[in-house]
Amino acid sequence: MESVASAPGKTILFGEHSVVYSEPAIAGAVNKRATVKIRRSRNQNTILKSKDLNFEAILDTRKESYSLKHGKPGIIRYILNALSKFHDHTPIEILLSINIPIGSGLGSSAAVTVATLAALFDYHDIPFTKESLAQDAYNVELDVQGMASPLDTIVSTYGGLIYLSREKKPISFTNHINSNFVIGFTTKYGNTGKMVKNVKNLKDAYPNIINPIIEDMGFIANEARIAILKNDISKVGELMNINQGLLDSLGVNTSELSRMIYLARKNGALGSKITGSGGGGSIIALCPHNPDKVMKAINRYDNTLKIKFSKDGVLTKDSI
Ligand SMILES: Nc1ncnc2c1ncn2[C@@H]1O[C@H](COP(=O)(O)OP(=O)(O)OP(=O)(O)O)[C@@H](O)[C@H]1O
Ligand SMILES: C[C@@](O)(CCO)CC(=O)[O-]
Ligand SMILES: [Mg+2]
């Protein structure tokens, strides 16, 4: 018996970091996914394999530890934490395939967590709803990272383009922004846990300066929601650029991200900003006119993806 589930990565249009402090945010599921297959192990070990990430590990689900035959460990911590909460320690084989760049602000950790949990619940016949799955996945990210908002795991679970309210209620946009978006990503990974902690340290040190900045990010997200509903693309772009200025003040920008942000604008993007935790990873650029010109400019130094928002959230064996 094999269980399988997949979940999308995401890109944040507005509100990264401020959403950790319950400000509203806007993010969308993208057409890049993580897929997890779980089946009974052929021996006494629980094995995790990923050809895409070039790793193979033997997991000790009781001690939440692993021995890595080869590859990098980071994403394993999310899978191990999910297993520690819901697995019965019987030996299983976990196969992870993923076409989301990791550590690139595109929600790879959330997609892997949501897909792992959905496959595990199917394997153990544990009933779940999208609401309960998103909450369980959020708890995993919280455990692994120390701090997190439910934004990434909600978007990976529900799919589509979502406005997350101050009350953490996901509200799906019925209309999509009919424009091209380009993702620029560096080879320098970000690490969400580390970046979120850095922002907290700055906030603790300068509350009278940082708190208003975080609140302004919330106002931007609300203005952007209205602009998206009106399909006012130029206003969406302008608000992205203002949001970027505030992210810069939180210290999550890097020279590589800045280079992509300004190359995008110079080559016709209406707006461009960091997407995700920053400190490496990705930018997103709104390019209604000439996305190829923006991609060509960024590709001189970094990498690009032309993304489409995807209505598909988590998919299980009946719907994959
Ligand atoms: N090649 C790799 N193989 C396995 N794990 C990796 C690899 N590169 C990075 N990691 C780890 O995977 C995790 C990526 O999660 P992280 O939340 O930092 O990035 P993300 O989810 O892709 O981006 P964001 O959360 O900003 O949207 C981190 O723990 C990182 O250390
Ligand atoms: C930086 C952050 O806001 C988004 C990371 O994709 C962290 C979070 O919301 O958990
Ligand atoms: Mg993440």
Side-chain angles (χ1 to χ4, degrees):
M1 180 254 191
E2 178 176 89
S3 294
V4 58
S6 84
K10 62 85 184 113
T11 184
I12 297 178
L13 281 175
F14 296 95
E16 49 272 284
H17 288 292
S18 46
V19 68
V20 175
Y21 300 96
S22 299
E23 290 298 331
I26 296 173
V30 296
N31 53 339
K32 298 285 175 194
R33 299 182 74 86
T35 302
V36 171
K37 287 182 183 171
I38 296 178
R39 54 185 177 224
R40 191 187 305 280
S41 178
R42 279 165 283 196
N43 58 40
Q44 283 315 301
N45 290 326
T46 288
I47 309 280
L48 168 61
K49 287 183 193 169
S50 175
K51 278 199 187 118
D52 298 318
L53 297 182
N54 185 31
F55 70 48
E56 183 170 333
I58 295 175
L59 306 184
D60 182 333
T61 55
R62 290 185 194 283
K63 293 181 190 153
E64 265 195 75
S65 63
Y66 55 82
S67 59
L68 206 52
K69 285 189 178 174
H70 47 76
K72 285 180 81 172
I75 210 89
I76 295 179
R77 295 175 298 147
Y78 294 85
I79 295 171
L80 262 176
N81 188 278
L83 292 172
S84 70
K85 293 179 185 318
F86 298 102
H87 186 45
D88 61 3
H89 308 300
T90 50
I92 52 176
E93 200 171 272
I94 306 163
L95 305 174
L96 168 64
S97 52
I98 185 167
N99 63 2
I100 308 166
I102 282 222
S104 295
L106 295 179
S108 67
S109 64
V112 167
T113 300
V114 169
T116 300
L117 286 171
L120 199 59
F121 291 154
D122 179 71
Y123 185 79
H124 289 300
D125 283 330
I126 300 171
F128 66 90
T129 62
K130 285 196 172 182
E131 190 177 1
S132 69
L133 176 61
Q135 183 60 50
D136 290 332
Y138 168 50
N139 291 338
V140 169
E141 284 225 310
L142 211 47
D143 277 1
V144 172
Q145 293 170 191
M147 282 179 79
S149 83
L151 180 64
D152 293 10
T153 42
I154 280 174
V155 175
S156 275
T157 302
Y158 288 89
L161 184 64
I162 285 180
Y163 168 85
L164 188 66
S165 72
R166 277 193 174 82
E167 299 71 34
K168 295 196 174 34
K169 185 172 177 311
I171 301 166
S172 296
F173 284 89
T174 48
N175 67 312
H176 270 194
I177 309 170
N178 55 4
S179 176
N180 296 301
F181 284 91
V182 168
I183 296 286
F185 58 99
T186 71
T187 50
K188 283 195 177 172
Y189 297 125
N191 182 308
T192 299
K194 181 169 158 262
M195 298 315 295
V196 169
K197 284 191 186 89
N198 291 351
V199 170
K200 182 179 183 308
N201 294 340
L202 202 63
K203 184 173 183 294
D204 292 345
Y206 303 99
N208 296 338
I209 298 170
I210 303 300
N211 289 347
I213 288 173
I214 285 175
E215 197 181 7
D216 279 350
M217 289 172 151
F219 293 138
I220 290 172
N222 284 334
E223 283 291 326
R225 181 186 186 193
I226 297 165
I228 291 169
L229 290 170
K230 291 178 180 169
N231 210 37
D232 184 342
I233 298 293
S234 55
K235 186 162 186 182
V236 172
E238 201 170 32
L239 291 167
M240 287 172 72
N241 296 342
I242 298 170
N243 197 160
Q244 175 51 36
L246 297 180
L247 282 167
D248 221 325
S249 70
L250 296 185
V252 299
N253 200 358
T254 66
S255 54
E256 295 86 5
L257 292 170
S258 266
R259 176 175 61 203
M260 294 192 288
I261 286 163
Y262 289 99
L263 273 175
R265 294 181 194 175
K266 191 176 166 196
N267 285 277
L270 293 186
S272 57
K273 63 176 277 288
I274 286 165
T275 183
S277 53
S282 302
I283 66 124
I284 184 167
L286 172 57
C287 316
H289 310 304
N290 196 337
D292 294 339
K293 187 179 175 208
V294 170
M295 292 176 82
K296 188 171 175 220
I298 293 175
N299 283 337
R300 278 165 43 209
Y301 305 96
D302 297 289
N303 310 294
T304 55
L305 279 174
K306 206 184 278 183
I307 55 138
K308 288 194 180 313
F309 287 114
S310 166
K311 64 176 178 40
D312 291 337
V314 65
L315 298 174
T316 53
K317 65 183 169 197
D318 318 328
S319 52
I320 276 188

